[in-house]
Amino acid sequence: MQIYGDSISGNCLKVKWTADLLGLDYRWIETSVLGGETRTPAFLAMNRAGQVPLVRFANGTVLAQSNAIMLALCEGSSLIPAEFFARAKMLEWLFWEQYSHEPYVAVARFQVHYLGKPVSELEPKIVERGNAALKLLDEAVSDRAFLVADTLSLADLALVAYTRVAGEGGFDLARYPAIQQWIGRVEDAARINE
Ligand SMILES: N[C@@H](CCC(=O)N[C@@H](CS)C(=O)NCC(=O)O)C(=O)O
C-alpha cells in the first residue's frame, strides 16, 4: 500500500498514525501541497480533487478523504467500536470534524503558520467558529477519557490531528484545559510522539 501525504497536514497524519497503530505495511510518498505536487497531471490522474491524503492499495484501487481512508484501514479493528450506537457516535464525530472543526481550526493554522498571515487578519468567522468547535470539544472530554466508549477510537484520532496544533493558528489551548489533558491521553494511546 502507498500513502500519498504531506507531513505538515493533519488530514494526512491521521492516516499515517492509523496505519502505524495497526502495524500496516505501507510506503509513505511525501507529496507537497505548497509545492503544487497534488496538482500535477500524474497526481490528478489518481485523484481528480487534487488532494492528499490518498491511498493506493496493492490491487491498484485508490481512496481519498482522510476519514474514509481511516475507516477502510480500520475495518474490523478495535478503533471502530463494535457496538452499533458507539459506532454511530464515532461517525457523528468524524462528520462533525470535517464540517465544523477542520474548516476553521486547520484553515487558521494553514493561513497563519504556513502562509504567514497575522492572526489579527484572520477572517473573524474562522476564529469564532474555531473557538466554538474547541469549546464543544473541551466540554465533551471534560468528564470522559476518550470521545466514544472508554477507549481510543477513530473519533479521537481524527480530532486530535488539528486540535493538538491549534496554537499554530492562533487559538489559545490554555482556555481548554480538558482538551489539553485529552490530547495527552490520545497521543499516548496512539503512540503519536514515539
Ligand atoms: N476532506 C479532505 C480534505 C483534504 C485536503 O484538503 N487536503 C489538502 C491538504 S490538508 C490538500 O491536499 N490540498 C491541496 C490542494 O487542494 O491543492 C480529507 O479529509 O482528506
Side-chain angles (χ1 to χ4, degrees):
M1 176 173 80
Q2 295 167 319
I3 302 178
Y4 291 81
D6 187 327
S7 302
I8 70 167
S9 153
N11 283 322
C12 298
L13 289 176
K14 288 173 190 177
V15 171
K16 182 178 189 307
W17 297 331
T18 304
D20 289 341
L21 202 51
L22 295 169
L24 301 180
D25 189 23
Y26 68 90
R27 186 156 69 92
W28 178 265
I29 301 176
E30 188 68 23
T31 309
S32 167
V33 170
L34 288 169
E37 291 175 9
T38 60
R39 299 285 164 170
T40 63
F43 191 88
L44 289 169
M46 290 190 292
N47 181 10
R48 270 192 285 266
Q51 292 178 331
V52 281
L54 183 76
V55 165
R56 184 200 283 273
F57 294 102
N59 66 3
T61 54
V62 292
L63 186 63
Q65 293 293 327
S66 56
N67 291 350
I69 295 169
M70 290 200 301
L71 283 163
L73 299 185
C74 287
E75 183 78 20
S77 92
S78 65
L79 291 169
I80 299 178
E83 194 270 325
F84 160 77
F85 192 69
R87 198 164 62 244
K89 290 302 283 185
M90 180 203 70
L91 290 170
E92 178 184 309
W93 281 115
L94 294 187
F95 291 121
W96 180 80
E97 184 257 349
Q98 285 286 298
Y99 192 75
S100 302
H101 180 287
E102 193 261 11
Y104 309 110
V105 177
V107 168
R109 174 190 179 239
F110 187 71
Q111 293 186 359
V112 172
H113 196 67
Y114 293 102
L115 300 184
K117 184 185 263 197
V119 173
S120 57
E121 288 178 21
L122 283 171
E123 193 187 331
K125 178 181 160 189
I126 289 183
V127 178
E128 186 187 313
R129 299 220 175 156
N131 275 307
L134 294 171
K135 181 169 181 288
L136 188 155
L137 192 56
D138 194 62
E139 288 167 1
V141 294
S142 65
D143 60 353
R144 56 189 310 139
F146 297 101
L147 285 168
V148 181
D150 297 324
T151 55
L152 183 78
S153 76
L154 287 189
D156 302 290
L157 280 178
L159 274 151
V160 87
Y162 286 110
T163 303
R164 68 199 282 274
V165 290
E168 293 176 0
F171 297 102
D172 180 10
L173 282 179
R175 287 173 59 187
Y176 308 105
I179 283 186
Q180 289 182 304
Q181 293 185 6
W182 166 79
I183 289 171
R185 287 192 294 275
V186 176
E187 287 178 341
D188 287 349
R191 300 196 290 272
I192 282 174
N193 291 320
E194 286 177 12

